[in-house]
Amino acid sequence: MLFVAAALTIGNARAASSPQSATQDFLDWHARPLAGTFSSKENAQQLRKLMTSELLCLLRATDRYRARHVEAAPEDKPPYADGDMFLSSAWEPPQSAEIEFVRTHGAHANVLVRFVDSYGTSWRDRLQLRAEDGDWKVADIDWLGRFQDANGKVRQETTGSLVESLYKEMDRNQPLVHWHRQEVGACKLHR
């Protein structure tokens, strides 16, 4: 992958001193395969440095949500089993990512990132960051849903945000899989 080296080393779990370095840390992490689940011990320290408490709470809830679906219907594909939930392009991973601009306002920042896949298709997503516990962390990702192929043809796809979509899916009772909406209710306390 062609990601620019991070200013701060995630492996050492050092603090992200700026929205740009926090974004680059997230992009570097995203470029690697996830070891285990969002709830796994091997990911805990790293993910706490990258993501806000609310986002991490929601991602850990996806692990439980997926497991409940597997228990209830092992023959069916569970939610969050395939694809990339973080970017607009859920199926074709980016080969490169470039931070185009950073806008900071107080303890919040928006970072526009341009991605390009192996076919030359490009798109932009906006990362929302928030200062939490003295570090800049990813709080949400806005899927902007505008793709341009290598020939310049543009197509629109679904827009929205990661956090919004996770709440939409999991913030409702689903008795058939023994899922209760209060399992993500605690995530809202971290806003």
Side-chain angles (χ1 to χ4, degrees), residues 86-90 112-113 115 121-126 141-148 153-161:
F86 294 102
L87 303 181
S88 292
S89 179
L112 188 67
V113 180
F115 297 94
T121 300
S122 65
W123 72 95
R124 288 171 177 82
D125 288 329
R126 182 176 45 240
I141 300 170
D142 295 320
W143 306 313
L144 302 180
R146 185 175 186 268
F147 294 83
Q148 184 172 353
K153 183 178 178 184
V154 174
R155 73 178 195 275
Q156 292 295 123
E157 294 200 8
T158 304
T159 59
S161 86

Side-chain angles (χ1 to χ4, degrees), residues 106-133:
H108 300 273
N110 289 315
V111 180
L112 188 67
V113 180
R114 180 177 182 266
F115 297 94
V116 180
D117 69 18
S118 62
Y119 298 104
T121 300
S122 65
W123 72 95
R124 288 171 177 82
D125 288 329
R126 182 176 45 240
L127 279 68
Q128 295 180 35
L129 285 87
R130 185 169 64 229
E132 182 180 279
D133 302 328

Side-chain angles (χ1 to χ4, degrees), residues 37 39 57 59-81 169-185:
T37 63
S39 303
C57 179
L59 293 173
R60 288 176 175 161
T62 65
D63 290 340
R64 296 188 309 275
Y65 188 72
R66 182 177 41 250
R68 302 273 176 81
H69 278 80
V70 168
E71 290 169 14
E75 66 284 349
D76 295 340
K77 185 184 300 185
Y80 308 118
E169 175 70 21
M170 295 186 297
D171 196 16
R172 56 193 168 98
N173 292 330
Q174 296 184 36
L176 294 176
V177 295
H178 309 289
W179 181 260
H180 301 281
R181 65 184 298 182
Q182 73 260 20
E183 296 201 42
V184 293

Side-chain angles (χ1 to χ4, degrees), residues 52 54-55 58 139-141 143 160-169 191:
T52 61
E54 179 186 24
L55 181 54
L58 285 167
D140 199 358
I141 300 170
W143 306 313
S161 86
L162 173 60
V163 169
E164 176 185 285
S165 73
L166 294 174
Y167 278 124
K168 183 177 179 181
E169 175 70 21
R191 286 185 174 167

Side-chain angles (χ1 to χ4, degrees), residues 3 20 41 44 48 60 64 81 85 91 113 129 160-161:
F3 291 92
Q20 183 164 341
K41 197 174 196 174
R48 277 194 302 272
R60 288 176 175 161
R64 296 188 309 275
M85 73 171 66
W91 304 108
V113 180
L129 285 87
S161 86

